[in-house]
Amino acid sequence: MILGIESSCDESSVALVEGRRVLVNLIHSQVAQHASFGGVVPELAARQHLEKLPGLVELALQEAEVSPGQVKQIAVTRGPGLVGCLLVGVGLAGGLAAAWDVPLRGVNHLWGHVAAAWAESVATVPPGLPLLAMVASGGHSDLVLLSAEGGFELLGRTRDDAAGEAFDKAARMLGLGYPGGPALARLAEAGDGRRQPLPRPRLPGLEYSFSGLKTALRYRLRELALSAGWSSERPGEIPVPSSEWIAESVRADLAAAFQHSVVESLLEKLERALSQHPVETVVVCGGVAANSRLRQRAAEVVGDRAHLIIPPLSLCTDNAAMIALAAGQITGVGAESVGVMADPTLDWRP
Ligand code: KG4
Ligand code: ZN
């Protein structure tokens, strides 16, 4: 029985996992607290974790009908993430480990996203290794190969913005609130990207780039506003979207075109990585894997070339079950130790 704690960004989460079975996975999203600021405010997020996490631990034990004595290990995200937020989780985990006299394991958040594929509800048998994973989140767009020996090989990543970050910024330009990804995806459903095509990022190899696409959207919006009589001296400036200069249908078409470009770009490289490393299992994970268009297209692109695992939405966006699963299921995820150091710049290091 492993108690997992996740607090790297704006989700406070506590989970109990027994083997591959997720008993409880409580997630408190801070969206409401950050929405009026248009993005995550790090200081506010850390305070929210401090306020919410202890209660979530109690609630998780209660809901799963588990006593502290049954918990054999505590797993906590130690990075990458926002430093203040990580410190709250690591501090709480260290305190609980000392009080309950159980080992503590610091888990890499990125490995955690991949580990969601180990949940019993996701895969009837544990995923076979080696496997190819695409982690697309607010901070990362990484293609990694998880080897049978327990190591990760980073095959490719983004040169600039992460996919989720691109979704969030595009959503803001289109006048959608925070968090932008889900809002943009909803708007895209009503649109047709072919009516407002945007360029598809094209980089050689297995690298991604989303900043050019973002700029293309900005200049398309600027053109639309200028041609409707809006004026601006500042290069690249765009007004807040309003029906005076952009029709709702055009906004939806642009959202659809943007989503199409990001999704196809992500999958083009995934496909290439799979050709270069023909493994039996592919995992698509991270917050952006909650995108239904990406889920549907990933299934088409991977086809019968490999077994594709995409965790359910609650295990794609940040959660503590994936952290506990990583600690219990993935070899070499980080040593058990008395003290765990938060490391905001961890990258893929264990
Ligand atoms: O993994 P995650 O919860 O947090 C990080 O580790 O960053 O990912 C959050 C990101 C945000 O950028 C959010 O906009 C994006 O995932 N996201 C989506 C969708 N749901 C969440 N992007 C596109 N479509 C969605 N349905
Ligand atoms: Zn994440």
Side-chain angles (χ1 to χ4, degrees):
M1 180 84 68
I2 303 181
L3 179 97
I5 297 178
E6 155 65 35
S7 69
S8 64
C9 190
D10 60 344
E11 258 101 27
S12 313
S13 179
V14 173
L16 280 162
V17 170
E18 191 173 29
R20 297 200 299 120
R21 203 152 62 91
V22 178
L23 303 184
V24 59
N25 186 23
L26 303 178
I27 304 166
H28 173 259
S29 162
Q30 303 178 359
V31 163
Q33 277 78 29
H34 301 290
S36 61
F37 299 97
V40 179
V41 183
E43 169 67 19
L44 196 62
R47 280 169 193 267
Q48 276 286 308
H49 289 308
L50 198 58
E51 212 169 282
K52 292 290 172 196
L53 281 174
L56 287 175
V57 171
E58 267 181 43
L59 196 59
L61 292 169
Q62 230 173 57
E63 281 196 10
E65 296 182 17
V66 165
S67 69
Q70 290 170 270
V71 175
K72 297 296 174 241
Q73 189 185 130
I74 294 179
V76 63
T77 303
R78 78 175 193 96
L82 300 168
V83 64
C85 295
L86 293 168
L87 283 170
V88 173
V90 166
L92 174 68
L96 288 174
W100 297 347
D101 195 22
V102 291
L104 177 65
R105 205 183 281 264
V107 173
N108 182 310
H109 181 85
L110 299 171
W111 293 42
H113 273 302
V114 183
W118 266 259
E120 198 179 76
S121 60
V122 176
T124 43
V125 290
L129 297 177
L131 66 74
L132 172 66
M134 183 175 82
V135 182
S137 69
H140 292 81
S141 301
D142 292 353
L143 286 167
V144 287
L145 200 61
L146 171 49
S147 79
E149 296 76 40
F152 274 87
E153 185 189 341
L154 183 61
L155 303 176
R157 63 178 5 175
T158 180
R159 274 197 192 171
D160 38 61
D161 291 353
E165 191 181 358
F167 264 109
D168 292 338
K169 288 178 178 167
R172 180 180 263 202
M173 286 187 247
L174 290 168
L176 304 164
Y178 153 89
L184 190 140
R186 267 194 306 277
L187 180 61
E189 270 170 39
D192 181 343
R194 285 168 302 190
R195 287 196 290 251
Q196 289 287 341
L198 289 169
R200 166 111 62 96
R202 292 205 187 277
L203 275 190
L206 297 175
E207 277 191 306
Y208 293 114
S209 166
F210 296 108
S211 72
L213 172 62
K214 200 180 61 186
T215 308
L217 174 64
R218 171 173 294 279
Y219 278 90
R220 181 73 56 78
L221 287 168
R222 186 176 161 88
E223 267 166 40
L224 287 169
L226 289 171
S227 63
W230 174 78
S231 67
S232 158
E233 301 285 301
R234 298 227 305 271
E237 189 188 8
I238 48 170
V240 176
S242 86
S243 53
E244 282 163 31
W245 64 270
I246 185 168
E248 186 58 20
S249 63
V250 175
R251 228 161 57 104
D253 290 344
L254 282 168
F258 189 87
Q259 173 173 266
H260 176 78
S261 284
V262 174
V263 165
E264 294 308 319
S265 164
L266 285 172
L267 294 177
E268 181 189 332
K269 300 299 166 85
L270 177 69
E271 213 265 348
R272 190 172 298 170
L274 184 56
S275 299
Q276 292 172 7
H277 305 271
V279 293
E280 282 173 18
T281 310
V282 172
V283 175
V284 173
C285 56
V288 179
N291 185 279
S292 32
R293 178 87 193 159
L294 177 67
R295 299 172 80 89
Q296 176 204 333
R297 286 285 298 131
E300 287 165 10
V301 167
V302 172
D304 53 13
R305 295 169 58 191
H307 172 52
L308 173 66
I309 304 177
I310 314 180
L313 304 202
S314 61
L315 290 174
C316 278
T317 48
D318 289 349
N319 68 90
M322 69 185 198
I323 301 304
L325 284 164
Q329 302 297 320
I330 302 187
T331 314
V333 76
E336 281 180 2
S337 58
V338 208
V340 164
M341 293 284 282
D343 185 347
T345 61
L346 196 54
D347 208 348
W348 277 91
R349 292 189 309 280

